[in-house]
């Protein structure tokens, strides 16, 4: 090989370098919106206007106009240079950076993959005329002096025109618009004092007021009904200061799209913090449900590393485990000081899929009491039903198990004394309070909660298990067997004595006493299936899973007709629960109606 051959390695020219770098910061149209809006926030804008135009093919133009500090002609010329920033001077400044930007990359990146028109004029106290710069593919095309209002307007057109691969990866217009909306929701909530206006193809989409409070802003974005029902959070602990709002458990959602977190006023996405918030709810929420939370978290800036990702949407927090703990505890304490019984007027939760599994609401035809005509009804008129003898005994046994409560009664009772009126539909217990409210209790959810607390607080010395007269043999698939083998020690602590019998079969010798007498041995099979089925969503430890399953399987079922006395026992036991408001999966156990609620429904004023 000749020594004279030209080297294969070459140093890329600046324009190419910038385009490659742009890929990190500017992933999609929403990234442009984010960078421009954050610059406007950093410039001290009091109002920010975002104008988007789109065609069916995608986002066409993005313009952000602010009334912030503006730029002098010299600064305007520098703003598009890579690594040009007014926000930090050295790496040490990162320890206390309060601005959203600091990398000096955004404008250079956007400019290298689009065509930009900048018009800017410094505020009165800063000198200089207005400047207009047009820059395309990173090259300045014109730079002129113009008359302009104070502040900055940046128009971005032809995004990704010179990076076809990136352009091709843009999703449909609606997907990109959804990204822009989602992003702006987060930014808007992090800065309630700034007025934001979003226009899409000339139509106003989102608007918030200047100097608004957080609840005002939440109401603007998500509606007044949600804003009204939220619980305020204001707390300071060792490492964090939190203020914001969280939802009642009953307003949970199936995803965390309504958890918006700002750390030191920076809207961030943090799965760890989302999880800490969820943990604060504990069993008030089902494992696959998420609360609504709008929280602003202040942490010492030296503990937050904002420079971990080019888009700065992720932050790294040192002492994270302690901080997450504090967040979780604050959420927990806030919830337990709040009134968690959903009222008749509270917005109802989206129906949980598992609801349908338990509630026995078979449609059947019954004759109309007066006309004798058949009509379709969803529920049996339970108030007048009498339990069958066998059912009665079974229910009595289940209630006896939980009669003693979980030992120490809670210091404060969350629910007033309840006087049972009757049972409805084999599911709902109707009761009144001494303050004249009507309370409807879901009998299965309530008893499940009671049993859950009992099982989860039982002591080591308690007599937990009942031996089966005839051991039951279970056959499992090899995969299930492997899981089950792992679980055997945890199961034995909860009262299941199960032996590995080899060849993927197991011998069940004893089961927890809380399960009552297993009338039906398939119950055991079902419990083991529950335990070995792959878990979805949030992970809980084995003991917790076993406890929840025992509670669910051992509790009085929906569809069990109970006597008035039995209903009263459920109500009394529920009052003694530490957390009487939800079942271990997070569904409500009771809902109350005040006389005013009913008057309202009947339009009596
Ligand atoms: P960064 O925000 O990280 O400093 P950018 O590339 O986003 O980097 O912006 C470069 C510089 O341009 C900023 O530091 C700021 O001085 C100036 N600038 C950008 N946008 C605005 C604006 N809307 N108003 C005033 N100055 C701005
Ligand atoms: Mg910036």
């Amino acid at each position: 090989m000749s020594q004279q051959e030209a080297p294969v390695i070459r140093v890329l020219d600046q324009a190419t370098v910038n385009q490659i770098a742009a890929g990190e910061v500017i992933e999609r149209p929403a990234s442009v919106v984010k960078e421009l809006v954050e610059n406007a926030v950093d410039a001290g804008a009091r109002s920010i206007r975002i104008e988007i135009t789109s065609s069916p093919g995608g986002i066409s133009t993005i313009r952000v106009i602010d009334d912030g500090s503006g730029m002098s002609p010299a600064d305007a010329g520098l703003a598009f240079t890579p690594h040009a920033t007014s926000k930090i001077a050295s790496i040490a400044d990162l320890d206390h950076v309060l601005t959203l930007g600091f990398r000096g990359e955004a404008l250079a990146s956007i400019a290298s993959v689009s065509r930009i028109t900048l018009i800017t004029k410094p505020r009165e106290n800063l000198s200089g005329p207005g400047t207009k710069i047009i820059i395309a593919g990173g090259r300045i095309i014109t730079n002129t002096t113009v008359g302009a209002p104070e502040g900055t307007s940046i128009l971005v057109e032809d995004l990704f025109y010179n990076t076809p691969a990136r352009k091709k990866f843009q999703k449909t217009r609606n997907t990109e618009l959804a990204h822009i909306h989602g992003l702006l929701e987060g930014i808007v909530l992090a800065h309630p004092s700034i007025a934001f206006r979003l226009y899409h193809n000339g139509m106003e989409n989102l608007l918030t007021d200047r100097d608004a409070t957080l609840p005002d802003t939440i109401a603007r974005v998500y509606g007044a009904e949600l804003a009204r029902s939220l619980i305020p959070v204001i707390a300071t602990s060792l490492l964090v200061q939190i203020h914001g709002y969280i939802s009642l458990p009953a307003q949970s959602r199936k995803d965390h799209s309504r958890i918006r977190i700002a750390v030191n006023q920076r809207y961030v996405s943090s799965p760890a913090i989302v999880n800490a918030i969820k943990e604060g709810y504990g069993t008030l929420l089902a494992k696959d449900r998420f609360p609504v939370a709008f929280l602003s978290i202040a942490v010492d800036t030296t503990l937050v590393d904002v420079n971990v990702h080019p888009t700065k949407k992720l932050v790294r927090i040192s002492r994270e485990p302690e901080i997450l703990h504090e967040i979780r505890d604050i959420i927990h304490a806030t919830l337990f000081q709040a009134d968690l019984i959903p009222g008749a007027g509270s917005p109802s939760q989206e129906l949980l899929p598992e609801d349908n599994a338990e509630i026995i609401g078979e449609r059947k035809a019954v004759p109309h009491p007066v006309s004798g005509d058949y009509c379709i009804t969803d529920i049996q008129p339970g108030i007048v039903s009498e339990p069958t003898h066998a059912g009665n005994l079974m229910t009595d046994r289940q209630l006896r198990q939980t009669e003693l409560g979980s030992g120490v009664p809670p210091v404060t009772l969350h629910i007033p004394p309840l006087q049972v009126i009757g049972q409805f539909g084999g599911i709902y217990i109707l009761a009144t309070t001494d303050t004249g409210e009507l309370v409807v209790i879901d009998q299965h959810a309530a008893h499940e909660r009671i049993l859950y607390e009992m099982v989860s607080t039982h002591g080591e010395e308690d007599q937990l298990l009942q031996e089966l007269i005839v051991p039951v043999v279970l056959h499992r698939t090899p995969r299930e067997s492997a899981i089950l083998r792992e679980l055997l020690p945890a199961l034995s602590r909860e009262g299941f004595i199960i032996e590995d019998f080899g060849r993927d079969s197991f011998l069940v010798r004893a089961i927890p006493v809380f399960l009552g007498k297993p009338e039906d041995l398939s119950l055991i099979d079902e419990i083991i299936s529950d335990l070995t089925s792959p878990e979805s969503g949030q992970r809980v430890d084995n003991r917790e899973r076993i406890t929840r399953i025992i509670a669910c399987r051992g509790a009085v079922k929906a569809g069990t007709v109970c006597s008035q006395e039995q209903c009263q026992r459920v109500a009394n036991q529920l009052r003694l629960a530490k957390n009487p408001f939800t079942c271990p999966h997070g569904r409500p156990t009771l809902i109350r109606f005040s006389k005013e609620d009913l008057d309202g429904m009947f339009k009596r004023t």
Side-chain angles (χ1 to χ4, degrees):
M1 205 186 281
S2 148
Q3 299 264 311
Q4 310 308 321
E5 220 172 293
V8 182
I9 297 176
R10 66 179 79 79
V11 175
L12 297 175
D13 65 69
Q14 194 58 44
T16 311
V17 170
N18 292 350
Q19 280 184 15
I20 291 172
E24 287 188 6
V25 190
I26 306 302
E27 217 185 325
R28 61 186 340 145
S31 328
V32 173
V33 176
K34 172 178 189 292
E35 295 299 336
L36 297 183
V37 170
E38 290 193 344
N39 279 345
V41 172
D42 283 346
R46 309 283 325 279
S47 74
I48 300 174
R49 180 183 171 104
I50 302 119
E51 297 172 358
I52 310 284
T53 64
S54 74
S55 67
I59 305 295
S60 317
T61 67
I62 296 167
R63 191 205 300 265
V64 174
I65 305 163
D66 70 58
D67 60 355
S69 64
M71 285 178 265
S72 68
D75 281 337
L78 275 172
F80 297 97
T81 311
H83 317 296
T85 179
S86 56
K87 300 171 192 175
I88 62 168
S90 77
I91 195 77
D93 294 340
L94 275 188
D95 268 356
H96 46 258
V97 68
L98 291 173
T99 50
L100 299 171
F102 53 81
R103 294 169 65 111
E105 287 177 333
L107 289 185
S109 297
I110 300 169
S112 73
V113 294
S114 70
R115 173 189 166 88
I116 293 185
T117 306
L118 161 79
I119 298 172
T120 186
K121 190 179 135 164
R123 275 192 189 141
E124 233 173 298
N125 53 340
L126 310 162
S127 56
T131 306
K132 175 174 178 178
I133 293 179
I134 297 177
I135 178 165
R139 262 175 271 279
I140 293 189
I141 298 184
T142 61
N143 183 341
T144 47
T145 298
V146 291
E150 286 168 21
T152 302
S153 144
I154 296 185
L155 169 67
V156 176
E157 297 166 289
D158 301 331
L159 184 60
F160 301 131
Y161 78 96
N162 53 355
T163 50
R166 183 55 63 97
K167 193 173 175 78
K168 213 170 65 201
F169 275 105
Q170 294 317 298
K171 298 282 182 331
T172 63
R173 151 162 79 173
N174 285 338
T175 309
E176 297 303 332
L177 283 171
H179 275 279
I180 293 172
H181 270 115
L183 165 91
L184 284 174
E185 281 173 17
I187 295 181
V188 159
L189 291 165
H191 302 280
S193 61
I194 301 175
F196 288 89
R197 257 147 235 274
L198 168 65
Y199 292 83
H200 173 229
N201 288 345
M203 301 266 289
E204 193 168 80
N205 270 203
L206 169 82
L207 124 168
T208 64
D209 296 322
R210 180 182 286 191
D211 295 325
T213 60
L214 183 55
D216 292 341
T217 306
I218 294 170
R220 285 284 194 182
V221 181
Y222 298 106
E225 193 190 18
L226 176 66
R228 251 198 313 276
S229 62
L230 295 173
I231 308 168
V233 183
I234 309 172
T236 304
S237 60
L238 220 54
L239 296 170
V240 299
Q241 229 175 316
I242 301 187
H243 78 94
Y245 291 84
I246 57 177
S247 64
L248 290 168
Q251 287 158 293
S252 72
R253 300 176 57 81
K254 66 178 183 308
D255 59 34
H256 53 77
S257 60
R258 291 211 180 157
I259 300 184
R260 304 285 184 187
I261 304 156
V263 172
N264 294 344
Q265 302 236 45
R266 178 188 304 279
Y267 165 53
V268 296
S269 94
S270 165
I273 296 178
V274 167
N275 195 48
I277 295 170
K278 188 160 160 39
E279 280 181 1
Y281 279 75
T283 56
L284 287 171
L285 279 184
K287 61 179 187 300
D288 54 349
R289 306 289 296 179
F290 293 88
V292 176
F294 307 113
L295 296 179
S296 171
I297 304 175
V299 185
D300 184 340
T301 54
T302 59
L303 293 179
V304 182
D305 183 356
V306 287
N307 190 29
V308 288
H309 194 263
T311 68
K312 300 166 254 100
K313 212 186 156 202
L314 299 170
V315 291
R316 188 183 299 131
I317 302 178
S318 39
R319 304 181 70 179
E320 188 177 59
E322 290 150 274
I323 288 179
L324 294 177
H325 247 88
E326 291 185 11
I327 294 173
R328 187 192 66 189
D329 291 350
I330 287 171
I331 299 296
H332 190 80
T334 304
L335 284 166
F336 275 77
Q337 281 154 20
D339 179 2
L340 296 182
I341 307 178
S346 26
S348 60
Q349 180 172 16
E350 301 157 51
L351 188 69
L352 298 173
E354 68 260 27
D355 279 356
N356 306 321
E358 287 289 359
I359 295 171
I360 299 170
E362 232 178 289
R363 287 186 149 250
K364 57 178 180 183
V366 294
H368 186 273
V370 179
S371 66
D373 288 338
Y374 277 78
C375 59
I376 298 292
T377 169
D378 276 333
I379 34 162
Q380 306 102 313
I383 290 185
V384 292
S385 312
E386 271 301 311
T388 62
H389 184 62
N392 204 2
L393 287 180
M394 166 82 173
T395 307
D396 264 348
R397 191 161 51 222
Q398 288 171 310
L399 291 175
R400 219 172 23 244
Q401 290 298 344
T402 46
E403 204 73 88
L404 302 172
S406 49
V408 206
V411 199
T412 46
L413 294 183
H414 301 285
I415 306 181
L418 298 171
Q419 184 60 51
V420 168
I421 311 168
Q423 190 204 31
F424 181 69
I427 303 169
Y428 298 114
I429 297 170
L430 309 183
T432 53
T433 66
D434 48 6
T435 52
E437 287 176 318
L438 175 68
V439 173
V440 181
I441 301 174
D442 177 322
Q443 108 195 347
H444 173 70
H447 196 233
E448 196 177 4
R449 161 58 62 185
I450 297 158
L451 192 54
Y452 169 82
E453 290 197 358
M454 228 184 139
V455 177
S456 56
T457 55
H458 74 75
E460 289 292 334
E461 69 287 352
D462 298 345
Q463 171 63 33
L464 287 175
L465 52 87
Q466 49 179 335
E467 279 187 38
L468 301 180
I469 300 168
V470 184
V472 178
V473 182
L474 292 176
H475 296 282
R476 300 278 98 177
T477 66
R479 189 192 66 84
E480 290 170 343
S481 299
I483 301 171
L484 188 52
R485 246 172 249 127
E486 291 271 298
L487 288 172
L488 290 183
L491 281 166
S492 89
R493 274 194 297 279
E494 303 307 321
F496 286 96
I497 304 301
I498 303 177
E499 282 169 23
D500 188 347
F501 213 50
R503 291 178 160 255
D504 299 328
S505 50
F506 296 85
L507 208 56
V508 183
R509 294 195 175 279
I511 62 168
V513 70
F514 301 113
L515 289 173
K517 241 205 216 109
E519 314 287 287
D520 180 2
L521 293 177
S522 68
L523 174 76
I524 299 172
D525 197 61
E526 278 171 36
I527 290 177
I528 303 301
S529 298
D530 285 352
L531 279 169
T532 49
S533 71
E535 263 243 292
S536 59
Q538 190 211 20
R539 296 173 58 81
V540 292
D541 65 26
N542 286 335
R543 168 152 196 207
E544 177 68 16
R545 284 182 70 193
I546 296 169
T547 306
R548 288 186 192 175
I549 288 170
I550 295 173
C552 181
R553 298 290 177 174
V556 175
K557 293 275 167 291
T560 307
V561 176
C562 295
S563 68
Q564 174 131 358
E565 185 257 324
Q566 288 171 333
C567 292
Q568 187 65 56
R569 283 161 76 184
V570 173
N572 294 349
Q573 291 178 15
L574 183 65
R575 277 192 75 216
L576 294 176
K578 290 194 183 63
N579 166 14
F581 306 109
T582 56
C583 79
H585 310 290
R587 275 187 275 148
T589 50
L590 72 170
I591 295 178
R592 69 169 170 210
F593 299 82
S594 67
K595 185 159 170 301
E596 290 71 43
D597 291 334
L598 293 173
D599 286 347
M601 290 176 195
F602 284 103
K603 312 248 180 284
R604 276 172 183 277
T605 41

